[in-house]
Amino acid sequence: MSDNTNTGSAGAAPLNSASYSLYPVRRRGKHKIFIGMAPGVGKTYRMLEEGHALKHEGIDVIVGLLETHGRKETSEKAEGLEIVPRKQYPRGELTLTDMDTDAILKRCLATSRFASTPQLVLIDELAHTNVPGSPREKRYEDVEVVLTAGIDVYSTMNVQHLESLNDLVARITGVVVRERVPDRILDEADEVVLVDVTPETLQERLLEGKIYAPQKIQQSLDNFFQRRNLIALRELALREVADNVEENAIATTPNGQFCNIHERVLVCVSTYPNSVQLLRRGARLANYMNAPLYTLFVAAPEGFLTKEESLHIHTCEKLCKEFEGTFLRVTNSNIANAIAQVAEKYRITQIVIGESQRSRWQMLLKGSLTQKLVRLLKNIDLHIIASEKMVSPK
């Protein structure tokens, strides 16, 4: 919510994106993103379809920006929905057009004064770069303005436009994507929907002229729309949505446990020499599962490491980084609780520990680390790695 609320009358200033707080906002709007592997999968069509369904339920739905790219089915699907006219930008003999954010705000916020009906704006192509001279450079920035005004937004994008995937997509397809969306936009979305078709279906749509004009079909098939490219992009889209679901969703279990889709391996090391062995075993496990590797060392609050012990932990940290893992160091007098807390924080699914170094009498009196972890951990596999017995020098 904006802190720059205008305390004057509604007519004291023109309603635009800089003064949308003229009317009180009860909440930030909700953002739903339809994402796909490539143009033509049906993102815009699906967005319009849901817009029609919500309009029939009584929600005030308008189209803020629609890009049909000449696709007949998409144009027909937009019929019956109010479309906000584009803003015109004269450029010499040319006139460029783009989304009119101020007009969207004026239409929605003026209406909201007289009714409490939820409002939804459909905005196509989230990664679009605005016309030079626009108030904001990117369309996703306009979307954020609309959301801040308390208006819900449905938008669309392709996975190759995600900032963190830019280099990878360039290596896969040979195409450098210029229009990009920061990862935080996807992370902060209230809902992400994958609109998916098989690579074969997408190529069929292309050949039928449902994606691009006839003169661009063969060029597209020979370049971006090659089957191997589409397979790789589809996998990226599937993984991205799976990651997003895991980050934002809680499983519907009675105890509210997080829903872990991907495996994550945690190796617990100590000052004992077998820690290096544990790390190597954990790294192999992570590699088999294609999972992130974490290594944890729990230091005692009042403890003091000898020079030899410090060097050993440093060796473990260095080895962890060689395995492209993340080394974690926490201070806690209760080792089992520390491990359980880290496992919950990082959504760990597999834990690797060494067999107990305690004597049988110590385990009977105080219990083993394994027993404590079994009681504390839920839905996490525990791997206890046997090691050669070390003979202490006398």
Side-chain angles (χ1 to χ4, degrees):
M1 183 183 296
S2 171
D3 292 327
N4 301 319
T5 304
N6 191 320
T7 56
S9 65
L15 182 59
N16 54 43
S17 56
S19 59
Y20 57 80
S21 55
L22 285 170
Y23 305 113
V25 177
R26 289 177 293 179
R27 63 164 177 85
R28 177 180 170 86
K30 293 184 178 181
H31 190 192
K32 183 173 183 176
I33 299 176
F34 296 86
I35 191 170
M37 64 175 171
V41 296
K43 304 177 299 297
T44 303
Y45 191 91
R46 173 75 177 275
M47 178 178 72
L48 292 168
E49 198 171 45
E50 293 201 14
H52 275 290
L54 291 171
K55 181 182 178 181
H56 288 310
E57 292 178 10
I59 293 176
D60 184 16
V61 180
I62 66 171
V63 178
L65 195 288
L66 177 64
E67 295 283 7
T68 65
H69 298 287
R71 296 165 193 164
K72 181 181 178 182
E73 294 85 354
T74 304
S75 299
E76 291 176 348
K77 199 64 183 177
E79 293 177 2
L81 293 175
E82 177 186 346
I83 300 178
V84 177
R86 298 188 182 212
K87 186 173 183 178
Q88 297 187 347
Y89 295 85
R91 293 291 184 269
E93 297 181 357
L94 296 176
T95 299
L96 305 178
T97 64
D98 215 328
M99 186 170 78
D100 194 338
T101 304
D102 291 342
I104 293 171
L105 294 173
K106 184 176 181 179
R107 156 64 173 79
C108 291
L109 296 181
T111 305
S112 67
R113 286 184 297 169
F114 308 106
S116 58
T117 305
Q119 294 176 309
L120 171 66
V121 180
L122 311 182
I123 299 177
D124 221 353
E125 296 194 358
L126 193 58
H128 171 78
T129 299
N130 291 337
V131 171
S134 300
R136 284 158 293 278
E137 181 183 359
K138 304 290 291 187
R139 186 166 290 162
Y140 69 79
E141 295 174 325
D142 288 303
V143 166
E144 290 186 302
V145 169
V146 177
L147 291 169
T148 303
I151 304 163
D152 295 340
V153 174
Y154 281 7
S155 63
T156 66
M157 67 174 287
N158 291 319
V159 70
Q160 66 264 28
H161 293 288
L162 200 60
E163 182 69 51
S164 64
L165 297 178
N166 189 249
D167 293 337
L168 179 56
V169 169
R171 289 198 299 271
I172 292 171
T173 65
V175 177
V176 178
V177 178
R178 302 297 180 187
E179 296 186 322
R180 301 189 291 273
V181 173
D183 289 49
R184 67 173 179 82
I185 300 296
L186 200 66
D187 295 338
E188 293 169 2
D190 297 276
E191 188 175 353
V192 179
V193 176
L194 175 66
V195 181
D196 183 46
V197 297
T198 65
E200 293 77 12
T201 299
L202 192 58
Q203 287 181 327
E204 287 175 9
R205 288 184 182 178
L206 181 63
L207 288 168
E208 291 169 358
K210 294 181 178 179
I211 301 177
Y212 294 138
Q215 61 270 25
K216 293 183 64 177
I217 292 176
Q218 192 57 50
Q219 180 186 359
S220 299
L221 284 171
D222 293 339
N223 294 283
F224 191 85
F225 278 77
Q226 291 182 56
R227 186 173 181 275
R228 63 177 181 83
N229 289 348
L230 297 179
I231 290 172
L233 290 170
R234 188 188 191 197
E235 183 176 349
L236 285 178
L238 290 167
R239 286 186 178 182
E240 196 61 42
V241 173
D243 287 339
N244 183 272
V245 169
E246 184 174 2
E247 287 298 320
N248 294 288
I250 298 179
T252 55
T253 55
N255 56 7
Q257 289 291 313
F258 282 103
C259 171
N260 291 314
I261 296 172
H262 294 303
E263 301 285 356
R264 292 181 173 87
V265 177
L266 175 67
V267 179
C268 301
V269 300
S270 67
T271 55
Y272 289 110
N274 70 332
S275 291
V276 172
Q277 176 191 356
L278 295 180
L279 242 175
R280 290 186 180 124
R281 183 68 68 86
R284 288 199 298 272
L285 181 64
N287 185 54
Y288 294 151
M289 294 182 167
N290 192 27
L293 172 68
Y294 297 86
T295 303
L296 172 66
F297 172 65
V298 182
E302 307 299 329
F304 177 78
L305 296 181
T306 65
K307 183 178 179 180
E308 183 180 357
E309 289 172 335
S310 295
L311 182 61
H312 173 71
I313 298 302
H314 177 72
T315 300
C316 290
E317 182 175 2
K318 184 179 178 182
L319 186 60
C320 174
K321 291 179 179 178
E322 287 178 4
F323 289 132
E324 299 182 347
T326 301
F327 190 87
L328 307 169
R329 185 191 298 255
V330 300
T331 301
N332 197 318
S333 58
N334 190 317
I335 296 176
N337 282 346
I339 294 172
Q341 290 167 7
V342 168
E344 180 179 1
K345 180 178 180 180
Y346 291 92
R347 314 264 178 91
I348 301 298
T349 61
Q350 311 283 332
I351 294 181
V352 177
I353 63 172
E355 62 181 343
S356 178
Q357 302 290 328
R358 287 183 169 183
S359 69
R360 183 170 298 179
W361 282 110
Q362 287 176 315
M363 285 191 286
L364 285 173
L365 291 171
K366 298 182 178 180
S368 69
L369 175 62
T370 304
Q371 292 169 338
K372 293 176 182 176
L373 288 176
V374 168
R375 288 195 297 268
L376 289 171
L377 301 175
K378 303 297 181 185
N379 303 318
I380 297 178
D381 294 335
L382 194 60
H383 303 260
I384 305 167
I385 308 302
S387 59
E388 297 181 2
K389 301 296 182 182
M390 303 298 294
V391 180
S392 302
K394 296 182 179 179

